[in-house]
Amino acid sequence: MEYRISPRVGSLQSSAVRDILKLTQGKDMISFAGGLPAEELFPIEAVRAAADRVFSTGKGALQYGLTEGFVPLREQLCGRMAAKQMKVTIDHMLLTTGSQQAIDLLVGVLTEPGDVVLVERPTYLASLQVFALHGLQVVACDSDEHGIIPESASELIAKHKPALLYSVPTFGNPTGRVWSEERRKQILQICTEQQVPILEDDPYGDIKFHEDETYPSMFSMQDSVDGGAVFYTSTFSKTVAPALRTGWIIGDTSVIRMMAKAKQAADLHSSTLDQQVLHQLLAGFDLDAHIAVISKDYKARMLEMDQLLQKQAVDGLVWEKPKGGMFLWAQLPEGLDAEALLKAAVPKGVAFVPGSSFYAREPQRNSMRLNYTYNTGARTEQGIVRLVEAISEFTARS
Amino acid sequence: MEYRISPRVGSLQSSAVRDILKLTQGKDMISFAGGLPAEELFPIEAVRAAADRVFSTGKGALQYGLTEGFVPLREQLCGRMAAKQMKVTIDHMLLTTGSQQAIDLLVGVLTEPGDVVLVERPTYLASLQVFALHGLQVVACDSDEHGIIPESASELIAKHKPALLYSVPTFGNPTGRVWSEERRKQILQICTEQQVPILEDDPYGDIKFHEDETYPSMFSMQDSVDGGAVFYTSTFSKTVAPALRTGWIIGDTSVIRMMAKAKQAADLHSSTLDQQVLHQLLAGFDLDAHIAVISKDYKARMLEMDQLLQKQAVDGLVWEKPKGGMFLWAQLPEGLDAEALLKAAVPKGVAFVPGSSFYAREPQRNSMRLNYTYNTGARTEQGIVRLVEAISEFTARS
């Protein structure tokens, strides 16, 4: 039979990153493409011990759970949120299958097809997929190194009456940028006044390279959680391990309740084995000390890549040194197309994500995102050598 | 701020079952409401050992995985499907967060808001929630004890041009009924001719009380998987444990690929820890022997409830003795409202799901669904006594 495929799904681009990941499954491929954490740092023995404690609690551990998520884990997360000046109760919180699901569910609750969503430019590509699937029109605010430019936000809000503003203010994906505190306050104020809810996506906030600096969330700056503009989502994928697929979102109780209703239909609930493992892990493991170890290691990897790129001194290649997170955002000489470069790079055994993936429209074609957390040492060096070789040949041909 | 909630989500009824579950969390409540498996039967030591083997494979076990699901588990599932005459490759299969997510994703791919979906009458209530969230119009076919009546399906297909037919042909929820082989063939033929895809939902098919009887799936009856009418979904929730939240769906490769794209946006992928645990479990544990144990035990529990109800001999209460699955579907005397009865039953310490939850409209108000798998022995007896007491008082007042 011929199937009638929903046009929204049919026209959806498969994630460029995941398609490249498939390409790069050959052994000799060095990938700077994915947003993969370093496996060497996964606290697998602590996770194993936590799982063992879960099984020791008895067979009830394997029963159906609450849609909202395992209560003791939500309680622990309330404590962790409070340490960052985000004061919430478990009723303000929904556990999700990674923070990706939090984005999807909130968008489902707060938007209708045809609505406008405001984003940074560039922005997280899998959020663009969510917006496309929900039939939203994506409008990008002008941004600089301090975050979204308030005048641009004000103007676009007045013009489009957006249903949501989506942002990654701390170590943005793909740029690695951090919004200034002043900008956070300004955007929060504008959105509060204009009644535009904000989804503050913070998967990387813990992975910071300057211990003394703090980057307060917009969520922590609002007067009240209930009725507040900001919904904040984060995940254990980068701080513990991605396979456990556990994220959370906090915000207004009534909206969280609606999201739980939508989640009932979507999957009843996320893995409670994973949630219980994380609960047991947090009870017996110093996650903050572990995060400090990861951050230190990732900083070293970032500096390693930065120095390799400096050493290779590619004419016209520029990048910002990120203050945290997992990505280095680089610009090729004006006029070079990173998608075309990728096609030249893959046969040489190196991959990255072309910057165009992170734009809903009018992409900046000469940019690319390099992940520095997955590889290290000789592999990073070899990868950068291959990349630079590809760029040189490509430039010579252009 | 005031939030603009999507009308589809805002008007969604929270699942009656889950709301009742919240009510029944008090210790002295005996619940026949949820679809909970018997915890005593969870193979927790085998799951523990499987988890331990997963951690022994190394830290890569905790990395991001494929959206389509863990390949070795998909391979094992292909083998299990082949044993039921469903011949598929891993490209015909997507792993999901329970079969609930399979329903949600397939509906997202094959329907547009405003489309009609055909269902049995009554049908699985959480599928009704999915249809409501996707803005579908639900039209119920006439059914009898052998399944959907072909003439009704033909007539409604001609009238509504539905985008999908959804059914639970083996041990339906809530009725516990099994479609006859003849009916399966007829419905498959009609839908194939009329180009209406079928979602065959089979969470309970393994839990059967007559070893010698087989109930071939409609999926197994079609000529070809690619281009075929039937998408088949099942889950480990009832045969291993619900907490592992692992289901699967099989069908046409191109539609499965579209579902994977939609799943990328929804949650990137389901828990790969759970998927790897199930892979290790299947490698070292006789799941079919375990299913035989569960089935035997559930049959005894069903007979126990059946006999208790017979013994109490409530005037006008009738029910069908199911051939498998987890539910007994009972009719109160005409004119009695099971929702009102529930309100009288809960204070007495017993709960069930009123049948009205299983109808998109024009509910049969005097029916109720009783789960017999979660309780046993004295608790079942006490629960039935309380239920009958509630019915008697309720009848006296009516």
Side-chain angles (χ1 to χ4, degrees):
Chain A
M1 84 167 43
E2 293 287 319
Y3 308 98
R4 288 185 306 183
I5 303 291
S6 155
R8 271 184 246 158
V9 183
S11 63
L12 192 70
Q13 297 298 315
S14 182
S15 155
V17 178
R18 296 187 80 84
D19 289 346
I20 296 163
L21 278 176
K22 280 187 188 168
L23 277 184
T24 58
Q25 277 177 348
K27 261 198 179 155
D28 192 37
M29 180 68 69
I30 296 171
S31 177
F32 303 131
L36 302 186
E39 288 172 15
E40 310 88 280
L41 300 176
F42 289 156
I44 194 164
E45 288 312 318
V47 172
R48 183 202 288 260
D52 213 56
R53 288 198 296 279
V54 171
F55 296 126
S56 297
T57 63
K59 292 182 172 180
L62 298 184
Q63 190 55 280
Y64 280 108
L66 295 176
T67 301
E68 293 80 359
F70 189 56
V71 170
L73 180 59
R74 277 190 282 157
E75 286 167 348
Q76 288 167 315
L77 278 168
C78 287
R80 293 187 64 82
M81 292 292 93
K84 300 180 182 199
Q85 279 65 57
M86 294 185 263
K87 294 190 185 69
V88 291
T89 69
I90 63 166
D91 294 329
H92 295 115
M93 183 181 289
L94 177 71
L95 300 189
T96 52
T97 304
S99 50
Q100 183 70 30
Q101 191 184 39
I103 302 173
D104 187 52
L105 291 174
L106 186 71
V107 166
V109 168
L110 291 183
T111 75
E112 280 293 282
D115 279 352
V116 165
V117 57
L118 291 188
V119 299
E120 296 167 89
R121 187 179 149 79
T123 192
Y124 172 48
L125 68 88
S127 76
L128 292 174
Q129 290 183 307
V130 175
F131 305 145
L133 263 182
H134 285 268
L136 303 185
Q137 192 190 335
V138 178
V139 173
C141 299
D142 293 333
S143 305
D144 62 18
E145 67 273 29
H146 307 297
I148 287 181
I149 295 169
E151 293 70 25
S152 173
S154 289
E155 187 195 320
L156 294 172
I157 289 171
K159 187 170 169 190
H160 295 290
K161 307 274 172 224
L164 189 69
L165 182 146
Y166 170 81
S167 72
V168 187
T170 308
F171 317 135
N173 181 352
T175 64
R177 284 177 181 166
V178 184
W179 290 23
S180 68
E181 199 169 327
E182 183 60 21
R183 280 292 169 80
R184 292 171 195 241
K185 281 183 187 153
Q186 290 170 319
I187 296 299
L188 173 61
Q189 192 187 345
I190 292 167
C191 286
T192 304
E193 282 171 12
Q194 301 300 317
Q195 306 267 310
V196 180
I198 296 171
L199 176 51
E200 181 172 22
D201 187 6
D202 189 30
Y204 309 111
D206 280 332
I207 313 292
K208 52 183 196 165
F209 302 155
H210 300 275
E211 276 181 50
D212 47 324
E213 292 189 12
T214 54
Y215 315 106
S217 65
M218 285 187 280
F219 189 94
S220 69
M221 294 172 171
Q222 58 186 358
D223 296 332
S224 156
V225 175
D226 283 317
V230 188
F231 295 84
Y232 172 98
T233 179
S234 188
T235 172
F236 287 109
S237 292
K238 278 72 182 179
T239 54
V240 179
L244 298 169
R245 304 301 300 127
T246 302
W248 63 94
I249 182 165
I250 51 177
D252 175 87
T253 317
S254 68
V255 173
I256 291 291
R257 206 178 299 132
M258 291 290 169
M259 289 179 69
K261 279 166 61 173
K263 186 168 165 59
Q264 272 189 14
D267 63 11
L268 292 185
H269 62 81
S270 299
S271 166
T272 39
L273 179 58
D274 292 344
Q275 292 173 11
Q276 291 171 90
V277 168
L278 285 164
H279 162 64
Q280 291 290 348
L281 183 86
L282 288 179
F285 176 75
D286 188 344
L287 182 58
D288 291 314
H290 179 67
I291 289 171
V293 168
I294 296 174
S295 298
K296 201 177 153 194
D297 193 282
Y298 285 0
K299 183 181 182 180
R301 292 178 191 226
M302 181 276 289
L303 290 172
E304 185 180 26
M305 184 176 277
D306 172 70
Q307 277 147 26
L308 286 164
L309 285 170
Q310 285 193 37
K311 200 174 121 191
Q312 296 282 338
V314 178
D315 235 22
L317 183 74
V318 293
W319 63 94
E320 296 169 36
K321 217 155 98 181
K323 290 181 153 191
M326 300 172 65
F327 305 109
L328 193 148
W329 179 241
Q331 269 71 47
L332 294 157
E334 197 75 43
L336 283 194
D337 184 331
E339 284 184 37
L341 173 63
L342 180 64
K343 286 180 194 140
V346 164
K348 290 197 179 292
V350 65
F352 57 86
V353 184
S356 52
S357 302
F358 303 94
Y359 295 82
R361 66 181 65 82
E362 297 169 24
Q364 191 187 327
R365 297 207 164 275
N366 63 327
S367 55
M368 59 181 175
R369 191 191 76 174
L370 300 174
N371 166 268
Y372 50 76
T373 62
Y374 185 65
N375 297 289
T376 187
R379 277 188 76 77
T380 301
E381 189 171 351
Q382 185 61 34
I384 293 294
V385 167
R386 291 177 187 177
L387 177 65
V388 169
E389 217 174 271
I391 297 174
S392 304
E393 287 179 22
F394 190 70
T395 319
R397 274 191 287 131
S398 295
Chain B
M1 79 167 46
E2 293 289 318
Y3 308 99
R4 288 185 307 182
I5 303 292
S6 155
R8 271 185 246 158
V9 183
S11 63
L12 192 70
Q13 295 298 313
S14 182
S15 153
V17 179
R18 295 188 80 84
D19 289 346
I20 295 162
L21 278 176
K22 281 188 186 168
L23 277 183
T24 58
Q25 278 177 346
K27 261 197 177 154
D28 192 36
M29 180 68 69
I30 296 171
S31 177
F32 302 131
L36 301 186
E39 287 173 15
E40 311 87 281
L41 300 176
F42 290 156
I44 194 163
E45 288 312 318
V47 173
R48 183 202 290 260
D52 213 56
R53 288 198 294 279
V54 171
F55 296 125
S56 296
T57 63
K59 292 182 172 181
L62 297 183
Q63 191 54 281
Y64 280 107
L66 295 176
T67 301
E68 293 81 359
F70 188 57
V71 170
L73 179 59
R74 278 190 282 155
E75 286 167 349
Q76 288 166 316
L77 278 168
C78 288
R80 294 186 65 80
M81 293 293 91
K84 300 181 183 199
Q85 279 65 57
M86 295 185 263
K87 294 191 184 68
V88 291
T89 69
I90 63 166
D91 294 329
H92 294 116
M93 183 181 289
L94 176 71
L95 301 189
T96 53
T97 304
S99 50
Q100 182 71 31
Q101 191 184 39
I103 303 173
D104 187 52
L105 291 173
L106 186 71
V107 166
V109 168
L110 291 183
T111 75
E112 280 294 283
D115 279 352
V116 165
V117 56
L118 291 188
V119 299
E120 296 166 88
R121 186 179 149 79
T123 192
Y124 173 47
L125 67 89
S127 75
L128 292 175
Q129 290 183 305
V130 174
F131 305 145
L133 263 182
H134 286 269
L136 303 185
Q137 192 190 336
V138 179
V139 173
C141 300
D142 292 334
S143 307
D144 62 17
E145 67 273 29
H146 307 298
I148 287 181
I149 296 168
E151 293 71 23
S152 173
S154 290
E155 186 195 321
L156 293 173
I157 289 171
K159 186 169 169 191
H160 295 290
K161 308 274 173 223
L164 189 70
L165 182 145
Y166 170 82
S167 73
V168 187
T170 307
F171 318 133
N173 181 354
T175 65
R177 284 177 180 165
V178 184
W179 289 23
S180 69
E181 199 167 326
E182 184 59 22
R183 279 293 168 80
R184 291 171 197 243
K185 281 182 188 154
Q186 290 169 318
I187 297 298
L188 173 62
Q189 193 188 344
I190 292 167
C191 286
T192 303
E193 281 171 11
Q194 302 299 317
Q195 306 266 309
V196 180
I198 297 171
L199 175 51
E200 181 171 24
D201 187 6
D202 188 30
Y204 310 110
D206 281 332
I207 312 292
K208 52 183 199 165
F209 302 154
H210 301 274
E211 276 180 50
D212 48 323
E213 292 190 12
T214 55
Y215 315 107
S217 65
M218 285 187 280
F219 189 94
S220 69
M221 295 171 170
Q222 59 186 357
D223 296 332
S224 156
V225 175
D226 284 317
V230 189
F231 296 83
Y232 171 97
T233 179
S234 189
T235 173
F236 287 109
S237 292
K238 278 71 182 180
T239 54
V240 179
L244 299 169
R245 304 299 301 124
T246 301
W248 64 94
I249 183 165
I250 51 178
D252 175 87
T253 316
S254 68
V255 173
I256 291 290
R257 206 178 300 132
M258 291 290 169
M259 288 179 69
K261 279 166 62 172
K263 185 168 165 60
Q264 272 189 16
D267 62 11
L268 293 184
H269 63 81
S270 299
S271 168
T272 39
L273 179 58
D274 292 345
Q275 292 173 11
Q276 291 172 89
V277 168
L278 284 163
H279 163 63
Q280 291 290 348
L281 184 86
L282 288 179
F285 176 75
D286 188 344
L287 181 58
D288 292 314
H290 179 67
I291 289 171
V293 169
I294 296 174
S295 298
K296 198 176 157 199
D297 192 281
Y298 286 180
K299 183 180 182 181
R301 291 178 191 224
M302 180 275 289
L303 290 173
E304 185 181 27
M305 184 176 276
D306 173 71
Q307 277 147 25
L308 285 164
L309 285 170
Q310 285 193 37
K311 200 173 120 193
Q312 296 281 339
V314 179
D315 234 24
L317 183 74
V318 294
W319 62 95
E320 295 169 37
K321 215 155 100 180
K323 290 181 153 189
M326 300 171 68
F327 305 109
L328 194 148
W329 179 241
Q331 269 69 48
L332 294 157
E334 197 75 43
L336 283 194
D337 183 331
E339 283 184 37
L341 174 63
L342 179 64
K343 286 181 192 137
V346 165
K348 290 195 178 295
V350 65
F352 57 86
V353 184
S356 52
S357 303
F358 303 95
Y359 296 82
R361 66 182 66 81
E362 296 168 25
Q364 190 186 330
R365 299 208 163 274
N366 63 326
S367 54
M368 58 182 176
R369 191 191 76 175
L370 299 174
N371 166 268
Y372 49 76
T373 61
Y374 185 65
N375 298 289
T376 186
R379 277 188 76 78
T380 301
E381 188 171 354
Q382 184 62 30
I384 293 295
V385 167
R386 290 177 188 178
L387 177 64
V388 169
E389 216 174 272
I391 297 174
S392 305
E393 287 178 23
F394 190 71
T395 320
R397 273 191 288 131
S398 296

